[in-house]
Amino acid sequence: MGKSPAVELEVEDRVVRISNPDRVYFPARGETKLDLANYYLSVGDGIVRALRERPCMLHRFPEGVTGEKVHQKRLPHGAPPWVRTVRVHFPRYNRHADELCVTHVADVIWAVQMSTVEFHPWNSRAADTEKPDEWRIDLDPGPTCSFDRVRRVALVAQEVLAELGATGFPKTSGSKGLHIYVRIKPSFGFQDVRKAALAFAHEVERRAPDDVETTWWRKDRDPSLVFVDYNQNARDHTIASAYSVRGNAEATVSAPIRWDEIADVDPRDLTIATMPKRYAELGDLHAGIDDAVWSIEPLLEWAARDELEVPDEQ
């Protein structure tokens, strides 16, 4: 069978060519590369808000999600002149990369043309890539952990955030966990944000010891518990953004949710097939995140009080 002819999508004031639009990317329901592009158009404001001006690693699947996955830090060749990049440095290797820096929904659609399914942004922005403005709380369930346990831990995290005066914006991971994002003042480096995240994780563990652990080494963790993964705030550690599709056959989405949905949400129901209608009805549930800026100083005080030091990265 020959390749399907390319189509051109008008994306606001730009045109993006999609080659092989009928190539099936997600076999569970048969969604194609063009379906993926149209999904991202349907949540355009939300995905741009999640990625705006952040260095972004791309997870590309040139043959669809059942094929090889390419982890792409450097912008793929052939980008149109309007696609921006931001240069980031990797001290361990003394190397740098010019990564995608989204400012317009057409940037996202061009990345889809380059077979991108997942978008994994840094938690800092182009203005100062060394000062994070996003604290990420990753509730990572062990292999035998139930999602009900993840739900309980999320509500404990909400309780602690409320006491701190911080506003958390939850989302599904697109897999078995939950993420909570907090917008923070870009006043500290990655190590301090990671230390603050560790102090928060310890407090959640203290309040929910039967559900949570913060054990550093994976091999030593109880597989039935939730690991509050503070290390997702380390430099160059990334997780799928809000509205990012995940690279699985069902095309699940890392979807923003309301706090009152946590008791009933099933992450498997939030896919590129269901999200456009949900977005049309609810809008971007993370729309207020940039207006809810908080300082991590109270968490750094907790870390000092408890003499916490973050371990070396795994």
Side-chain angles (χ1 to χ4, degrees):
M1 182 181 295
K3 295 181 179 179
S4 53
V7 299
E8 290 188 342
L9 298 178
E10 293 187 10
V11 185
E12 296 179 352
D13 57 340
R14 293 165 188 166
V15 175
V16 182
R17 181 177 181 272
I18 303 293
S19 61
N20 303 315
D22 294 338
R23 173 171 286 162
V24 173
Y25 268 38
F26 307 100
R29 291 179 305 272
E31 285 106 347
T32 64
K33 183 179 182 181
L34 182 59
D35 291 327
L36 178 64
N38 283 328
Y39 159 73
Y40 279 121
L41 287 174
S42 76
V43 297
D45 289 346
I47 187 67
V48 170
R49 181 173 288 107
L51 301 177
R52 185 180 299 280
E53 298 186 346
R54 300 185 184 281
C56 187
M57 184 170 72
L58 310 176
H59 288 195
R60 299 172 54 231
F61 295 81
E63 302 300 322
V65 298
T66 57
E68 178 187 7
K69 176 164 69 171
V70 179
H71 294 250
Q72 184 107 24
K73 292 190 177 183
R74 290 171 174 80
L75 188 76
H77 293 299
W82 39 261
V83 174
R84 285 182 51 191
T85 60
V86 56
R87 177 162 290 192
V88 291
H89 183 243
F90 302 100
R92 183 179 301 177
Y93 309 106
N94 194 27
R95 300 178 69 181
H96 69 266
D98 295 317
E99 298 195 8
L100 174 67
C101 183
V102 167
T103 60
H104 189 288
V105 69
D107 304 332
V108 176
I109 305 307
W110 177 80
V112 171
Q113 158 59 12
M114 301 305 294
S115 69
T116 301
V117 172
E118 298 190 15
F119 293 85
H120 287 239
W122 284 42
N123 61 341
S124 60
R125 302 201 200 221
D128 189 344
T129 59
E130 299 305 314
K131 297 289 180 64
D133 75 333
E134 190 165 80
W135 161 34
R136 296 168 176 177
I137 302 164
D138 179 9
L139 305 183
D140 183 13
T144 62
C145 179
S146 70
F147 194 66
D148 281 342
R149 177 162 274 166
V150 179
R151 299 177 200 273
R152 291 199 297 270
V153 175
L155 296 178
V156 174
Q158 182 192 26
E159 175 185 280
V160 179
L161 288 172
E163 292 176 13
L164 287 165
T167 303
F169 291 79
K171 67 183 183 72
T172 65
S173 69
S175 183
K176 298 179 180 179
L178 289 172
H179 301 153
I180 305 165
Y181 284 4
V182 179
R183 188 65 81 242
I184 59 175
K185 295 178 181 178
S187 304
F188 296 92
F190 290 99
Q191 193 73 346
D192 281 332
V193 174
R194 191 165 165 242
K195 184 181 291 187
L198 173 60
F200 180 85
H202 271 264
E203 179 61 20
V204 174
E205 182 181 35
R206 186 185 69 78
R207 298 189 188 199
D210 294 333
D211 291 325
V212 174
E213 68 173 349
T214 56
T215 303
W216 178 238
W217 295 108
R218 185 182 299 272
K219 63 181 177 61
D220 296 330
R221 295 178 201 154
D222 185 329
S224 69
L225 298 183
V226 176
F227 176 53
V228 182
D229 190 356
Y230 51 91
N231 200 47
Q232 295 296 4
N233 296 279
R235 191 180 190 280
D236 190 33
H237 280 226
T238 61
I239 52 181
S241 76
Y243 299 106
S244 177
V245 182
R246 305 307 305 271
N248 56 51
E250 294 77 20
T252 55
V253 171
S254 185
I257 56 176
R258 300 187 307 263
W259 282 107
D260 63 7
E261 292 182 286
I262 285 177
D264 300 310
V265 70
D266 186 338
R268 296 170 297 184
D269 294 337
L270 300 170
T271 71
I272 67 170
T274 62
M275 282 295 293
K277 180 181 179 182
R278 174 180 169 88
Y279 192 90
E281 293 174 349
L282 300 179
D284 180 11
L285 295 179
H286 284 191
I289 192 169
D290 290 321
D291 299 321
V293 181
W294 184 75
S295 173
I296 64 170
E297 289 175 354
L299 289 176
L300 292 177
E301 292 172 2
W302 288 5
R305 177 198 66 195
D306 297 337
E307 300 182 337
L308 296 177
E309 292 295 335
V310 290
D312 292 336
E313 294 181 34
Q314 293 186 22

